[in-house]
Amino acid sequence: MHMLDGYAVAFLLMLSLSVEVIDASAGDADPHYRICVSQCEESGCVGERCFPNCKFSSDGEPIDRPWYMQEPLYLQWKEWDCQSDCRYYCMLDREKEKELLNQGPVKYHGKWPFSRIYGMQEPASVAFSALNLAIHFHGWVSFFILLYYKLPLEDGKKAYYEYAGLWHIYGLLSLNSWFWSAIFHSRDVDLTEKLDYSSAVVLLGYSLLVAILRSFNIRDEATRVMVAAPLIAFVTTHVMFINFYTLDYGWNMIVCVVMAVAQLAIWAVWAGVSRHPSRWKLWLVVFAGGLAMLLEIYDFPPYEGLLDAHALWHATTIPLTYIWWSFIRDDAEFRTSDLVKKAK
């Protein structure tokens, strides 16, 4: 997922912007839903269901158990706070009522009505994010094995491929980004949102840097530093801005779309100009990724409360990620072969 990162982050942030703008969605503006949530927050119950996270004393004040009686964090992660449980079950009840009236689902607080599984908010997106992480891990490990166990080494130690170190860092940043994507879709709270966004921005900025260094064939360390310094400084400043000042969805979207479009254009043009033997893989990722974006544009409610357009879009990045790492391996073989010939 390299050029793929461009599509991914750009549309994730456009989606996030829409979530922020329509936080007061049709569902949570519904008077029946609002009354249900209000009553639940007072009583701790929706119908016959009462929630242990809504704890009240005899005078109606919320209470918490002492620390030594609380479950460990890894078990607490499956639980939601009182407000979240009230919203979730009021949403489910309201959607059942609307279904009986032949009315379609609507969004609540900017999100479609998903069904939780093991406490996960968007289980399909979690699963596909985890699969993307697995494919990245496979791609990175296979790249490592190719470099150091299958291709000739310079002086028996160092890989001939000049961009090996850059791709190793890319692999680590990709794993980090998809890990937090899975966590964010599992539990959408302020901390997981910022970690997901920050990881995505860092990966996107680094992807742009690698695109520049590889396409312009920049191998000199001093020149690499000169090219990288302003981009790293900008990305670092932006990450600090969205974490410690304000998470401005609009500005974040602009920054990421610009970096995404820039790297996509660089790779697509370079593939044609360089006549790279595996250029078809680059173009395949560009065009297939572009078609996959239609899933984000054509937003539809989750099937059976699980599978929505965004989850399907995550699914499409899995095979494209495999193809992308295949191109990276091909590039390593191509450059190594060329350099070995010159060394003889």
Side-chain angles (χ1 to χ4, degrees):
M1 197 185 83
H2 190 96
M3 284 184 296
L4 235 48
D5 298 331
Y7 293 123
V9 179
F11 277 86
L12 278 174
L13 297 182
M14 289 174 72
L15 186 66
S16 300
L17 175 63
S18 66
V19 169
E20 177 73 2
V21 171
I22 59 170
D23 188 58
S25 307
D28 47 279
D30 184 341
H32 296 280
Y33 169 80
R34 297 172 75 92
I35 291 170
C36 175
V37 172
S38 178
Q39 290 176 344
C40 174
E41 289 177 346
E42 290 178 7
S43 66
C45 300
V46 175
E48 299 298 318
R49 290 182 298 259
C50 294
F51 314 115
N53 292 326
C54 297
K55 306 179 189 71
F56 300 93
S57 62
S58 57
D59 59 359
E61 290 297 318
I63 57 172
D64 287 311
R65 289 177 295 175
W67 65 268
Y68 53 84
M69 292 182 64
Q70 293 181 7
E71 291 183 317
L73 283 175
Y74 69 90
L75 290 178
Q76 289 183 38
W77 180 256
K78 294 191 300 181
E79 297 181 357
W80 293 76
D81 60 30
C82 182
Q83 184 189 61
S84 297
D85 275 335
C86 288
R87 287 181 173 183
Y88 177 69
Y89 286 100
C90 284
M91 174 192 75
L92 290 185
D93 283 0
R94 185 62 186 136
E95 284 300 307
K96 286 177 183 176
E97 292 171 3
K98 292 176 62 185
E99 189 176 348
L100 294 174
L101 299 171
N102 293 319
Q103 296 177 2
V106 294
K107 290 187 177 182
Y108 294 78
H109 306 283
K111 289 182 176 289
W112 288 113
F114 287 94
S115 298
R116 294 180 190 167
I117 294 180
Y118 296 111
M120 292 184 292
Q121 192 170 358
E122 299 173 40
S125 290
V126 173
F128 292 136
S129 292
L131 284 172
N132 272 287
L133 188 151
I135 294 296
H136 269 291
F137 183 73
H138 171 270
W140 179 43
V141 170
S142 60
F143 173 67
F144 184 91
I145 292 171
L146 173 72
L147 273 183
Y148 299 105
Y149 293 96
K150 295 183 179 180
L151 294 178
L153 296 172
E154 192 175 1
D155 299 325
K157 296 179 181 178
K158 183 182 176 184
Y160 278 95
Y161 188 49
E162 318 98 311
Y163 306 96
L166 294 174
W167 287 121
H168 288 322
I169 297 171
Y170 168 76
L172 290 171
L173 291 178
S174 297
L175 295 177
N176 175 70
S177 182
W178 280 110
F179 172 78
W180 288 116
S181 173
I183 296 298
F184 173 64
H185 285 300
S186 175
R187 182 67 65 85
D188 179 2
V189 296
D190 185 61
L191 177 61
T192 58
E193 181 182 53
K194 287 181 177 178
L195 285 167
D196 179 47
Y197 276 51
S198 299
S199 299
V201 169
V202 169
L203 177 58
L204 184 54
Y206 185 79
S207 297
L208 174 58
L209 175 60
V210 176
I212 294 169
L213 297 180
R214 178 64 189 97
S215 60
F216 288 96
N217 202 25
I218 299 173
R219 289 171 286 180
D220 177 66
E221 288 299 325
T223 309
R224 284 185 176 184
V225 171
M226 289 176 62
V227 172
L231 185 55
I232 292 173
F234 175 76
V235 170
T236 302
T237 303
H238 180 68
V239 169
M240 293 178 69
F241 176 80
I242 63 176
N243 276 279
F244 302 111
Y245 183 66
T246 179
L247 181 46
D248 186 327
Y249 293 91
W251 170 242
N252 198 35
M253 180 188 69
I254 292 169
V255 168
C256 291
V257 167
V258 168
M259 290 196 295
V261 171
Q263 68 159 304
L264 290 170
I266 289 169
W267 281 117
V269 171
W270 177 76
V273 172
S274 68
R275 310 295 295 175
H276 195 284
S278 295
R279 59 188 176 277
W280 68 270
K281 293 182 181 179
L282 282 173
W283 286 333
L284 176 60
V285 173
V286 169
F287 292 118
L291 291 175
M293 284 194 297
L294 296 175
L295 288 169
E296 287 295 292
I297 297 170
Y298 180 60
D299 189 22
F300 56 84
Y303 176 73
E304 297 294 332
L306 297 172
L307 201 62
D308 69 326
H310 185 68
L312 285 177
W313 175 76
H314 270 324
T316 63
T317 61
I318 296 169
L320 294 180
T321 296
Y322 182 85
I323 295 169
W324 176 246
W325 275 104
S326 174
F327 164 75
I328 296 171
R329 291 193 298 271
D330 289 351
D331 189 49
E333 289 188 65
F334 170 65
R335 285 296 302 159
T336 300
S337 175
D338 195 40
L339 290 167
V340 169
K341 288 177 183 177
K342 290 179 180 178
K344 289 180 179 179

